Structures are given as C-alpha cells and as structure tokens.
Amino acid sequence: IKWVGFFTTVFIGLLTIKDLWDLLGDLHLPPIRWAKHFLARILCLLVIPVILYMFVFAIHFSILENSGDDAISMSPEFRHTLNGHGMNDTPIDVGYGSTITLRHFNTRGGYLHSHRHHYPSGSKQQQVTLYPFKDENNFWIIQKESDPKIPFETINPSWIYHNALIRLSHVLTEGWLHSHDIRPLVTDSDHQNEVSVYGSKGHSDSNDLWRVEIVDHDKSDPDSNRRLRAIHTKFRLFHINTGCYLFSHNTKLPEWGFRQQEVTCGKGATYINTIWYIETNSHPKLSSDTKMVNYKKLGFFGKFIELNKVMWTNFKSNSLHPYLSHPLSWILLKRGIGFWDEEHHQIYLIGNPLIWWTSTLIVFIFVVEKLITILRVKRGYIDRFSVKGEHFEPWSNVFLIGWCLHYLPFYLMSKELFLQYYFPSLYFAILLIGVGFDLITDRFNPKNRTIIVTIFLIASIYIFILFSPIAYGNTWEKSSCDNSKWLSSWDYDCDLYVGSHLTRNTNTTGIEITNPEFSDIRAFDKRAVEAEDDEKEEQCQQEVQGLEANVETNKEKRCFPRMAHPKDFRAFLSATI
C-alpha cells in the first residue's frame, strides 16, 4: 500500500536470489527445471504484483472522477480529465491585442495574477502573484512595445514571434507588468528583483518591456516553435532594463499576500522556473473559423505515471510536523503520535513497551552475536550448535536481515519520518524474540520454559490493558494517565482526564448529584467506595438529611466518597446541590 513496502520487496527478492543460487548448485536438478523455477518466481514475485499495483490505480481513476482541493498538485492535463476542471477550447493563434491567461509551467502554482492590493514596503506598487484558481484577475492583454496608448480592440491580430518585445496590461486594474531594481520582500537577494503592476492605461515606461524567448513547443505543431500559440508554446519573458527573467517558485507570500505564490524577476534563476505558457486566449478580431486547441486528455498510463511522480515528490517532502521523529528514537519508543483528542478522550499511537523494548534488546543481542561469530570464524574457531541451534541460526539471519532492510534505509532519507515507519521492522524484531527465546532456553526443561512464556504473555496483556484507553479513546483517570508515563518524552495529554470518578446519586426530586467542582483527589477518594457497614451508611444518610437533600444510596449501597473531614463532605454537598 505504502512505498515503504518496497523494502519488503527487496527482502523477498534477496531470499529468492539465494534460493535460486542454492538450486543452481543442486547437480541433481536439470537446467530446464531450474529455468522453470526462475520464470515462476519472476511471474509470481514481479509480474503479478506490478499488475495488481496498476490495477488498484485503474480502480482509483474510475471511482474518483471528480475534482478536489488536492487536484492542484496535478498537471493541467491531468486535471482536465476530472469533472469540474474542464476547459472550453481556446483559439490557438495568439496575436497582439489578445486577452490571455498566463500559466507557470513548473510549479503548477497557477496563473500570473494581480489584484488591487499593494506591497506593504519596497516599491509599494500593486502585487503580482501566482494564483492556482481561475479568476478574473488572471487576465492580461498583450500589447506591442511601441503602442501602449492604442486600444487593443482596434488592433488586427498580428502574430508574436520569437524575440518579439511586448508589454502586458492587466485587464481589471489597467496597469502594466513591471519590474525594477528593488529587492522582493520575501526572497530578498541580489539576483532577484521585485515584480509589480504599475502605471495606467495609456501610460507606460521602459520597465514594462519584456522579450519573448520561445524555448519549447508541441512537436505536432511546428508553428508553435516560431510564434506564440496557446498551450503548445513554452516561453520565457526577459526583462529588457534589468536583464532578469519572470520567475516563480514554491515560496508563499505572508498574510498580506494572501498566501499566494511569489513572483519575482530572477537573474541566473532556475531555468525551468522561468518557463510560462498561454492557457486561454481570445481576440475580438479573430475569424470565426480560427483553429481551436485544448489540453490533450491523458490516458491511463499517462495518469498513472504522473500520479506516481507526484507521490514521489510528496514522499521526499520535509515539513515540520509536530510528531516528527528520528529513526533512533523508534527502537527506544521515545515518542508516539497523537491522532485525536476531545473532552476526556484521546487516541495516541504508542507500542506495547514490554514487547517493543524486548524486541530491541533481542535485536541488539543478535547483532553482537553475529559480530562475535564472524570474528571467531576469521580467527579459525568453529562453533558447533545443537540440532535446534542449527535450525534457528539461519532463521535468525533471515529475520535480522529483514529488520535491517526495513529500518536502516530511513537514516538515509531527508523526508518527514514518523513512528509508524518502524512497524515492518518491529514485525521482524518480534519474530526474533521467538527465535531468541528458543535458543536461550534450549537447555531449560519444558516446565520452566512454559512458566517463562506464561509470565511474559500475562505481562504483555496487562500492559496492553494498561495503555488501552489511549489506544481506543476510552475514559481514563488523570492519576492513572500520569503514572503510565514511564518516559517523560511520551507527550499524550493527561490533563484531558478528570481527576476522579464519582458515583452518581439522585435526590427525591430526581436531580442528579455529580461532582463538577471538587475533582481534586486530595479532598476525597478517587472513586465511590462501598459502605463498610450499616452504621457508616446511616451516618452518611444523616449528613444528607441534615442538609435537607434526602439523598438515596444506589443499588450497590454506595455512599458519597469518603472525605478527609466532615466539613469537606458538607462543602461538597453544598456545592453540588
């Protein structure tokens, strides 16, 4: 299901290679039979799993056909296959006077965008960002560099070729896409310039001039390599005065920029982050028979490959999650993961400490034993095992290799890591507990072995029950929760729980008497206690009647909690009544 399962594939693959190698050394096995063994393993351990993996995605694509928030991670071609994300065909020919939307190629951050909000410092001119959704603030008009005052409606469409100089006018605010030698507010570096919208309709300056540099095109459309065409032409915009390229990256602006993606003008910037293309295009003077274009719809394999690429990108992500942990802390169970909490309940992922720490100890013992064995063999010593030892020694090697393959690779990863990634390794470590027990107790009599196993199982079950409230979200007492924190690094919240539980009683009016005020365990016992004799029960009733509460005991003849002093009892009753 998850890609960490790849380590299991490698583990099984190594076992299979060893098995085939052993079979190859069997002189009684004909070569044709060995070849059948080889092909059978290729079929069952490679071909069928790959087909199954792809089949799951086929089901995924057929069921999840609607767009959602996470669709922003996918390419426009992929999103175009989802309901709610379609786009009407657009004219392919782009000319001066065309109204366009300009889309960033690499980050999928969205459309070149501006709005009637200004940078809080720097030039204090109108903001330019990338916005991931369709919006009327995404529209720009391409103008010739020589005629900013000529209304675009009067311009006959003439095509825009490589190295052409243009100006981009923002449709709603009528300013011009502009850059100058001022540092951006977020990416404040010498090789980045601020990009803004500046000026007004008919009033422009030389800082609004950009040169079109075509860098890629759709191979099925040769014209898109010579001039701008919607969707098919990929190009860069070079700022004439400052020598930088229109640029964007995954950095987000602060609240004043509405968390939209930063746009700057970069010198020597990452090449792929300076590539743009035109998604939609319109012109009032285009003929009715103009050729139209749209995104190519991806087939199954295209969607399969792209989604797995996005999964790989997310797999490498390194964010600051509050429950991140390091692989070294996993084997010591230093910290769990909080999943949910609400009103005296919480769910917190943590292992059974007895099993967890025992498995870690056994792994350490086997590692030391293997190192000692290797050194002894190197020195010429030959260790002889019992029959049981001869059986379990190779299995301990298998399980230890499985543990290492599922655990050690995480030390090489820079992605965000969590405790659950240790679970496959824990599986092999638990198997080593069984192997270790059989090897260590080989000379014990059956009765003693049974006693040891029974004690270990009972202790494991007891600890499981002890920690079950945070595994299943059950109620718990605060003191029990506090006592269960064997390590200070276990950060589940014991303050969620009530200090004690009182038995509920009712008076003659049927009103429940509970304990909303006095939860401090120093004032009274943690729970209702059964009356020890008739005299104590009668005394309790008299106290209640003295306050005209006429409280009845419950069916189990339980009274109110025993107090440190009668005044505490009266204070409790007064408060609850």
Side-chain angles (χ1 to χ4, degrees):
I1 298 297
K2 296 183 69 66
W3 276 8
V4 291
F6 176 73
F7 301 140
T8 306
T9 304
V10 174
F11 170 69
I12 296 175
L14 292 176
L15 296 183
T16 303
I17 291 172
K18 180 184 181 302
D19 183 40
L20 290 172
W21 183 255
D22 292 340
L23 289 175
L24 189 62
D26 186 355
L27 300 180
H28 298 289
L29 188 69
I32 189 68
R33 185 67 180 272
W34 185 91
K36 290 181 179 179
H37 277 281
F38 177 80
L39 293 176
R41 284 158 175 76
I42 292 293
L43 174 66
C44 296
L45 300 178
L46 186 62
V47 177
I48 292 178
V50 169
I51 292 175
L52 179 61
Y53 182 75
M54 297 179 71
F55 179 67
V56 171
F57 279 89
I59 298 173
H60 175 77
F61 293 145
S62 65
I63 294 176
L64 298 181
E65 57 185 10
N66 296 320
S67 179
D69 293 340
D70 289 329
I72 192 175
S73 301
M74 313 308 297
S75 70
E77 290 84 357
F78 191 105
R79 288 199 295 264
H80 195 56
T81 65
L82 303 174
N83 296 335
H85 248 299
M87 184 185 82
N88 295 329
D89 292 347
T90 191
I92 191 171
D93 290 317
V94 179
Y96 293 107
S98 290
T99 300
I100 64 168
T101 55
L102 201 59
R103 195 175 190 102
H104 196 237
F105 174 72
N106 186 45
T107 63
R108 297 171 184 168
Y111 303 91
L112 188 67
H113 176 95
S114 187
H115 41 234
R116 298 184 186 276
H117 297 273
H118 295 75
Y119 294 113
S121 59
S123 69
K124 297 188 177 181
Q125 294 173 4
Q126 189 170 303
Q127 297 174 14
V128 173
T129 65
L130 277 194
Y131 187 61
F133 306 105
K134 294 180 179 180
D135 185 83
E136 58 185 2
N137 281 311
N138 301 338
F139 290 105
W140 304 80
I141 299 172
I142 303 180
Q143 300 274 42
K144 288 185 177 180
E145 54 93 15
S146 58
D147 58 357
K149 296 183 180 181
I150 301 176
F152 76 94
E153 299 91 344
T154 65
I155 301 175
N156 290 319
S158 56
W159 311 141
I160 303 170
Y161 291 91
H162 178 65
N163 284 333
L165 294 183
I166 65 169
R167 303 174 192 263
L168 287 173
S169 172
H170 190 242
V171 172
L172 285 190
T173 62
E174 298 184 338
W176 303 89
L177 186 67
H178 183 95
S179 187
H180 38 223
D181 192 17
I182 296 177
R183 303 289 80 78
L185 297 186
V186 176
T187 307
D188 185 4
S189 60
D190 291 338
H191 64 276
Q192 295 280 1
N193 291 337
E194 181 189 82
V195 173
S196 63
V197 164
Y198 180 68
S200 59
K201 188 174 183 179
H203 295 85
S204 179
D205 62 33
S206 60
N207 279 328
D208 305 334
L209 288 178
W210 303 83
R211 185 174 70 220
V212 175
E213 297 182 3
I214 296 176
V215 297
D216 198 9
H217 69 292
D218 190 315
K219 301 303 184 287
S220 64
D221 180 13
D223 285 342
S224 62
N225 191 35
R226 299 185 300 110
R227 58 188 176 91
L228 290 187
R229 305 196 92 187
I231 297 178
H232 288 176
T233 303
K234 307 299 186 293
F235 59 94
R236 306 168 81 192
L237 290 175
F238 178 79
H239 191 250
I240 298 299
N241 280 3
T242 60
C244 57
Y245 287 92
L246 189 65
F247 169 88
S248 186
H249 51 171
N250 287 317
T251 300
K252 304 292 185 182
L253 296 175
E255 292 294 338
W256 53 258
F258 306 99
R259 300 292 180 186
Q260 295 173 14
Q261 193 164 307
E262 183 185 38
V263 174
T264 64
C265 193
K267 300 176 183 178
T270 305
Y271 175 81
I272 198 168
N273 283 342
T274 62
I275 297 177
W276 305 79
Y277 68 94
I278 295 169
E279 183 177 83
T280 63
N281 167 48
S282 64
H283 195 291
K285 293 200 172 184
L286 283 175
S287 61
S288 58
D289 59 348
T290 297
K291 182 180 177 181
M292 308 296 281
V293 69
N294 210 326
Y295 288 113
K296 295 178 180 178
K297 283 197 174 184
L298 295 179
F300 168 75
F301 286 102
K303 295 169 68 175
F304 172 79
I305 293 172
E306 179 176 331
L307 184 53
N308 278 268
K309 286 181 178 179
V310 174
M311 290 165 59
W312 173 249
T313 302
N314 292 337
F315 182 76
K316 296 190 297 181
S317 66
N318 190 13
S319 62
L320 297 177
H321 194 281
Y323 287 101
L324 291 178
S325 56
H326 189 269
L328 183 61
S329 70
W330 300 345
I331 59 176
L332 302 176
L333 194 60
K334 292 185 68 175
R335 195 184 185 205
I337 301 175
F339 284 147
W340 168 87
D341 63 79
E342 181 181 295
E343 292 185 356
H344 316 313
H345 302 271
Q346 66 178 317
I347 292 178
Y348 185 90
L349 173 66
I350 196 168
N352 187 314
L354 176 61
I355 296 176
W356 204 287
W357 291 333
T358 302
S359 69
T360 299
L361 177 63
I362 288 293
V363 168
F364 176 77
I365 291 173
F366 271 110
V367 169
V368 173
E369 185 266 334
K370 302 303 177 189
L371 292 176
I372 293 175
T373 300
I374 292 173
L375 291 175
R376 288 178 61 82
V377 171
K378 189 67 176 177
R379 298 292 297 173
Y381 294 96
I382 299 177
D383 294 315
R384 299 187 181 279
F385 297 97
S386 64
V387 175
K388 183 174 287 187
E390 292 287 351
H391 172 72
F392 280 112
E393 182 67 16
W395 278 109
S396 67
N397 293 334
V398 169
F399 297 150
L400 188 59
I401 291 173
W403 181 87
C404 291
L405 283 175
H406 289 81
Y407 175 64
L408 297 181
F410 288 106
Y411 282 92
L412 305 177
M413 297 182 186
S414 59
K415 74 181 294 292
E416 54 186 20
L417 299 174
F418 301 95
L419 178 66
Q420 68 262 23
Y421 292 157
Y422 184 69
F423 286 176
S425 299
L426 179 66
Y427 177 84
F428 289 100
I430 292 174
L431 291 175
L432 279 173
I433 293 178
V435 174
F437 172 79
D438 271 327
L439 290 176
I440 294 172
T441 63
D442 185 29
R443 300 181 183 276
F444 290 21
N445 62 56
K447 180 180 179 181
N448 291 337
R449 286 163 60 91
T450 302
I451 292 174
I452 295 173
V453 170
T454 302
I455 292 174
F456 186 82
L457 290 178
I458 292 175
S460 300
I461 294 171
Y462 170 77
I463 293 175
F464 170 79
I465 295 173
L466 180 66
F467 287 94
S468 62
I470 56 174
Y472 297 104
N474 296 334
T475 57
W476 212 4
E477 292 187 16
K478 184 179 185 300
S479 59
S480 299
C481 178
D482 289 330
N483 293 333
S484 72
K485 285 194 173 183
W486 299 349
L487 297 181
S488 59
S489 55
W490 291 354
D491 52 356
Y492 47 88
D493 187 6
C494 291
D495 291 333
L496 286 171
Y497 302 109
V498 178
S500 63
H501 299 302
L502 295 179
T503 304
R504 289 187 167 184
N505 298 273
T506 56
N507 56 23
T508 53
T509 62
I511 300 175
E512 279 191 336
I513 301 177
T514 59
N515 176 23
E517 300 286 343
F518 292 83
S519 60
D520 192 337
I521 60 174
R522 293 171 299 180
F524 46 83
D525 288 351
K526 297 178 185 178
R527 60 189 179 276
V529 294
E530 188 171 350
E532 296 178 357
D533 49 42
D534 294 338
E535 182 180 353
K536 290 181 180 179
E537 184 176 10
E538 183 179 355
Q539 182 182 358
C540 178
Q541 292 290 349
Q542 289 173 355
E543 288 279 0
V544 176
Q545 291 170 2
L547 291 170
E548 298 181 351
N550 193 22
V551 178
E552 298 177 356
T553 56
N554 60 18
K555 293 181 179 179
E556 296 181 359
K557 295 185 179 180
R558 293 178 181 267
C559 194
F560 285 99
R562 187 182 292 118
M563 301 295 162
H565 190 274
K567 288 190 295 185
D568 295 328
F569 185 85
R570 296 188 188 97
F572 163 67
L573 278 179
S574 299
T576 53
I577 291 174

